[in-house]
Amino acid sequence: MGITSRMIPTEDASARKREIEEKLKQEQETLSFIRENLEKSDQLTKGMVSILSSFESRLMQLENSIIPVHKQTENLQRLQENVDKTLSCMDHVISYYHVAKDTDRIIREGPTGRLDEYLACIAKIQKAVEYFQDNNPDSPELNTVKARFEKGKELLEAEFRSLLTRYSKPVPPILILDAISVDDELEVQEEVVLEHLPEAVLQDIICIAGWLVEYGRNQDFMNVYFQIRSNQLDRSIKGLKDHFRKNSASSGILYSPAVQTKRKDTPTKKAPKRPGKDDVLDIEIDSYIHCISAFVKLAQSEYSLLTEIIPEHHQKKTFDSLIQEALDNLMLEGDNIVSAARRAIMRHDYSAVLTIFPILRHLKLNKSEFDSTLQGTAASTKNKLPTLITSMETIGAKALEEFADSIKNDPDKEYNMPKDGTVHELTSNAILFLQQLLDFHETAGAMLASQESSLSATSYTSDFNKKLLSTYICKVLGNLQLNLLSKSKVYEDSALSAIFLHNNYNYILKSLEKSELIQLVTVTQKTAERSYKELIEQQIHTYKSSWLKVTEHLTDRNMPVFQPGTKLKDKERQVIKDKFKGFNDGLEELCKIQKGWAIPDKEQRDFIRRSQKKVVSDAYRTFLQRCANISFTKNPEKYHKYRPEEVEEMIEKLFDTSA
């Protein structure tokens, strides 16, 4: 047991040793492998180093060969570029010497039909001028290209004038009428575009104008522009005037913007034509009104066109010059209308001054648009319309005042009085004049207000103007009433005088009510209507008094008192005979005279007849009843000539010149 125990450790140590020796052997082999690899790596490294050294050496040799070649190539390229630039410059310079020759044909033939080519040609000439001025100012070539440039500019200016002249045509009258008309039924008005020049032509004109401003340094074309367009504007307005006169004269249709546009002056009832109204004059007035509207519309259109062609800082001045001829002609025509009205006033023809009212109203309605159109023009241009308006207001107010005075001072000429006591010509003329004012009540009121020196412009309110006009109308009516009263005294027969006043007062009242002048009158005289009715009643009462000398024979005055069956004395019989004879003679005389008198108003005529029939026939019947049982004559038919019904028939024929 002891030996065995000692042997086990020895075997273990031996195995351990073998194991270690085995591992050592493996490590030695590994180390040997590594050494071999290291040796191979060293050999490879030495080979690579040798190759790189050789490559570097060759690369240095290549670089030393290439760099001189590269530098030489760069020098050659630079030399080539310099040569090319020199040749190009030479060609460029030489081209300037040939510009005059190269452009001769195009410049000579002008720009018509080839504006772009022509402007390109002028640009070449301009560059040549600049070159010679900078590089060779003493060369003869400079003078040559300068002359060619000036020639080219002249032809461009001529083309500008030619295009404008050739294509600027008056606007057709029908197109102008469409442009100025207003349709109240349309909420949105379709604006009529006035095309003055074809689009292609317009673009050429704009192009030439732009060149002349930028390169031509010439403003003469602006004068050419306004002269040609001014002529066309004036011709357009004159063409409209001629067209309007021709068509109005042939058809009788008057198209007036003053009627076609909404206005505050519109009366509720149309006033009749004024006395002595001349249709030719009417056409002239409406024509003038049209031309005012046409001027505004055409001027606005001209300004729109002008802004595309004329430089901005010259636009207002050019526009001012452009519109002068047409505006001056319109103002001259307006002044002629004022002068004609002034001459009419001197002849006491006040109805003629009414021509001013529609014109004045239209001028004032369009003044704001007129002022807007002329904005930026000279003060003298802007003041032309206000000056004309002031002249019209002054002459109109003068006519109104002198008309009122003429009504007051119209002489009481016996031969001029109506024999039948009807409405006097003075009355009808005065009422017709006032009715015409109703059609222009705001214009007339403002006209009167303009003459009130104590008022400022801010005082011209619509209500104030209405009061002034009401006061004026009442003044005319008051003057008329006084004059009629004076004229009535010309009649020897007080009954005819009463019929005359009745007819005139009734005519005035009915005319006021019919034309609604009464509304204006009552602004300042609330009781005017009642006053006229009272005057009419007074004259009817006065007229009825003329029958007292007939009916007084039918009264009991001087009638004999007797008992039935008692024989009358001769004196008493004669009294009854005289009463019959007085009644018969008076009735026949009055009916004969008054049958020739006139009461034009049927309602009034019937009322007076009916009233008078009742008074006379009632008195006559009573008288006949009283005399029925009295024997006062052997020939009763000699005295009892008329039955009551016949008396009524005779009175029914009063105021009837056809009976």
Side-chain angles (χ1 to χ4, degrees):
M1 287 297 291
I3 295 172
T4 304
S5 303
R6 285 195 297 270
M7 288 180 67
I8 291 171
T10 303
E11 291 176 358
D12 289 340
S14 185
R16 181 72 178 159
K17 181 179 177 183
R18 285 195 300 274
E19 183 180 350
I20 291 172
E21 287 177 352
E22 185 68 32
K23 285 184 179 180
L24 180 60
K25 183 179 179 181
Q26 289 177 354
E27 291 295 335
Q28 287 175 343
E29 290 176 355
T30 300
L31 180 60
S32 177
F33 176 76
I34 291 172
R35 282 176 178 167
E36 289 176 1
N37 284 322
L38 285 174
E39 288 176 0
K40 289 179 180 179
S41 178
D42 286 341
Q43 290 176 359
L44 290 172
T45 299
K46 288 178 182 179
M48 181 62 70
V49 169
S50 175
I51 292 170
L52 289 174
S53 297
S54 174
F55 181 76
E56 183 180 9
S57 174
R58 292 179 181 180
L59 188 61
M60 287 180 65
Q61 290 177 0
L62 181 62
E63 183 178 348
N64 291 334
S65 301
I66 290 298
I67 286 176
V69 174
H70 177 69
K71 288 182 178 178
Q72 189 175 7
T73 302
E74 282 185 340
N75 290 334
L76 288 172
Q77 287 177 338
R78 195 175 295 111
L79 288 173
Q80 181 66 40
E81 288 175 1
N82 289 339
V83 169
D84 291 342
K85 287 181 180 178
T86 301
L87 289 173
S88 177
C89 288
M90 288 296 293
D91 289 341
H92 186 63
V93 170
I94 290 170
S95 70
Y96 290 134
Y97 286 86
H98 294 123
V99 162
K101 180 180 178 181
D102 293 343
T103 59
D104 180 66
R105 181 181 60 82
I106 295 176
I107 295 300
R108 191 172 62 252
E109 292 177 356
T112 303
R114 51 173 176 185
L115 182 60
D116 291 341
E117 182 184 6
Y118 191 85
L119 290 177
C121 189
I122 288 213
K124 289 180 182 179
I125 298 172
Q126 190 173 4
K127 287 180 180 179
V129 171
E130 293 170 356
Y131 170 79
F132 288 120
Q133 283 177 335
D134 293 341
N135 297 283
N136 196 359
D138 297 327
S139 65
E141 285 79 6
L142 176 60
N143 293 331
T144 301
V145 291
K146 269 188 175 180
R148 187 59 49 81
F149 181 81
E150 290 301 319
K151 180 64 175 177
K153 187 172 75 170
E154 286 177 13
L155 291 177
L156 273 177
E157 292 170 352
E159 179 71 0
F160 183 86
R161 178 188 293 274
S162 174
L163 288 174
L164 267 179
T165 304
R166 195 181 324 142
Y167 292 99
S168 289
K169 305 295 182 186
V171 180
I174 298 300
L175 193 57
I176 297 176
L177 288 172
D178 288 342
I180 63 178
S181 65
V182 176
D183 190 341
D184 291 338
E185 295 181 0
L186 294 178
E187 293 183 5
V188 179
Q189 297 296 322
E190 183 178 349
E191 186 174 357
V192 177
V193 178
L194 301 176
E195 185 180 278
H196 297 286
L197 298 167
E199 183 60 29
V201 174
L202 174 60
Q203 291 308 316
D204 281 355
I205 289 174
I206 292 172
C207 188
I208 295 173
W211 188 93
L212 290 173
V213 170
E214 186 173 358
Y215 302 111
R217 292 174 175 78
N218 183 4
Q219 296 182 6
D220 290 345
F221 78 94
M222 299 181 201
N223 295 331
V224 170
Y225 179 85
F226 89 69
Q227 288 167 2
I228 294 173
R229 294 307 306 171
S230 173
N231 181 259
Q232 295 311 313
L233 174 61
D234 193 51
R235 285 177 62 192
S236 295
I237 294 175
K238 287 178 178 175
L240 173 65
K241 187 182 299 182
D242 292 342
H243 170 87
F244 189 78
R245 288 173 181 169
K246 186 195 310 178
N247 282 271
S248 297
S250 61
S251 66
I253 300 172
L254 304 178
Y255 302 96
S256 173
V259 175
Q260 290 173 329
T261 55
K262 288 183 178 179
R263 63 177 188 267
K264 295 179 182 177
D265 282 10
T266 304
T268 53
K269 291 188 179 179
K270 185 174 178 61
K273 286 189 175 183
R274 63 180 179 272
K277 189 173 183 182
D278 187 347
D279 289 339
V280 175
L281 183 59
D282 271 347
I283 294 169
E284 292 296 326
I285 294 167
D286 285 321
S287 172
Y288 186 68
I289 287 173
H290 269 82
C291 289
I292 290 291
S293 294
F295 171 80
V296 173
K297 186 64 68 175
L298 289 170
Q300 291 170 346
S301 182
E302 285 291 346
Y303 186 74
S304 177
L305 176 67
L306 177 146
T307 56
E308 297 188 68
I309 299 169
I310 304 299
E312 185 175 357
H313 55 288
H314 291 286
Q315 289 172 1
K316 293 294 185 182
K317 183 179 179 182
T318 305
F319 178 67
D320 198 341
S321 301
L322 191 156
I323 62 174
Q324 282 304 313
E325 183 178 4
L327 181 59
D328 285 345
N329 285 340
L330 282 176
M331 295 303 107
L332 178 61
E333 191 172 348
D335 289 339
N336 290 339
I337 292 170
V338 171
S339 298
R342 187 177 289 112
R343 291 192 297 272
I345 292 172
M346 293 176 67
R347 298 192 306 269
H348 307 294
D349 178 11
Y350 302 104
S351 63
V353 84
L354 292 170
T355 59
I356 284 180
F357 283 81
I359 295 173
L360 179 58
R361 176 178 63 192
H362 189 68
L363 291 178
K364 295 178 80 171
L365 283 173
N366 286 271
K367 185 177 181 300
S368 60
E369 192 172 6
F370 214 103
D371 292 343
S372 176
T373 303
L374 300 186
Q375 189 176 5
T377 58
S380 58
T381 303
K382 293 177 186 174
N383 290 335
K384 287 180 179 178
L385 182 67
T387 301
L388 178 59
I389 288 175
T390 300
S391 297
M392 287 190 170
E393 286 187 326
T394 301
I395 196 67
K398 178 179 174 64
L400 291 178
E401 290 304 317
E402 291 200 13
F403 174 76
D405 292 341
S406 74
I407 296 299
K408 180 180 180 180
N409 301 319
D410 188 71
D412 305 329
K413 297 176 182 177
E414 185 173 350
Y415 65 84
N416 197 35
M417 295 295 289
K419 304 298 182 184
D420 57 0
T422 190
V423 178
H424 197 280
E425 184 182 11
L426 179 69
T427 303
S428 58
N429 285 348
I431 293 300
L432 286 171
F433 187 91
L434 294 180
Q435 286 173 332
Q436 190 72 14
L437 286 188
L438 178 65
D439 211 15
F440 303 97
H441 64 271
E442 288 203 356
T443 302
M447 185 182 284
L448 293 169
S450 69
Q451 305 306 303
E452 296 286 329
S453 58
S454 61
L455 297 174
S456 64
T458 55
S459 301
Y460 298 169
T461 64
S462 180
D463 287 343
F464 180 79
N465 293 352
K466 184 181 286 187
K467 287 181 181 177
L468 276 181
L469 184 58
S470 175
T471 301
Y472 172 78
I473 292 173
C474 291
K475 177 182 178 181
V476 172
L477 292 175
N479 289 350
L480 178 59
Q481 185 177 333
L482 290 173
N483 197 305
L484 290 172
L485 191 59
S486 175
K487 288 183 186 304
S488 69
K489 295 175 182 177
V490 171
Y491 294 112
E492 295 180 0
D493 191 328
S494 61
L496 180 55
S497 176
I499 290 296
F500 170 76
L501 288 175
H502 163 273
N503 283 333
N504 282 271
Y505 292 155
N506 184 64
Y507 178 83
I508 293 170
L509 177 60
K510 292 296 174 65
S511 297
L512 293 179
E513 292 173 337
K514 184 178 179 181
S515 66
E516 297 183 5
L517 271 168
I518 195 68
Q519 277 84 343
L520 267 177
V521 171
T522 53
V523 169
T524 52
Q525 286 195 8
K526 305 295 184 186
T527 61
E529 193 169 6
R530 188 178 70 201
S531 298
Y532 273 110
K533 288 180 178 178
E534 289 175 354
L535 287 171
I536 292 168
E537 289 175 2
Q538 288 173 9
Q539 300 312 316
I540 292 175
H541 179 73
T542 301
Y543 162 74
K544 287 182 176 181
S545 299
S546 67
W547 281 85
L548 290 176
K549 63 183 180 181
V550 176
T551 56
E552 69 178 357
H553 296 289
L554 306 177
T555 63
D556 289 341
R557 188 166 59 88
N558 297 328
M559 194 72 174
V561 179
F562 59 89
Q563 295 296 325
T566 305
K567 187 177 180 180
L568 294 177
K569 297 177 181 178
D570 291 342
K571 185 178 180 181
E572 292 173 335
R573 285 196 298 272
Q574 190 59 46
V575 168
I576 296 175
K577 289 178 182 179
D578 289 344
K579 282 183 175 289
F580 268 106
K581 187 176 186 305
F583 172 76
N584 292 335
D585 291 346
L587 176 66
E588 290 168 355
E589 182 185 2
L590 279 187
C591 286
K592 180 181 178 181
I593 293 172
Q594 295 185 7
K595 186 176 71 171
W597 297 354
I599 300 180
D601 187 321
K602 183 179 185 302
E603 183 181 344
Q604 287 289 307
R605 184 170 66 245
D606 291 344
F607 169 75
I608 292 174
R609 283 173 176 169
R610 189 168 54 250
S611 174
Q612 202 56 44
K613 276 195 301 184
K614 179 172 176 52
V615 171
V616 175
S617 64
D618 285 355
Y620 188 48
R621 281 189 172 91
T622 302
F623 176 75
L624 290 178
Q625 287 175 358
R626 192 178 303 118
C627 299
N629 297 319
I630 300 176
S631 178
F632 64 92
T633 178
K634 294 179 180 179
N635 300 307
E637 65 278 359
K638 177 182 177 181
Y639 297 98
H640 187 184
K641 292 174 64 174
Y642 303 106
R643 293 179 291 105
E645 292 78 14
E646 291 175 321
V647 171
E648 290 180 353
E649 287 176 4
M650 292 172 70
I651 296 175
E652 186 64 31
K653 292 179 181 179
L654 297 178
F655 319 117
D656 187 357
T657 54
S658 65

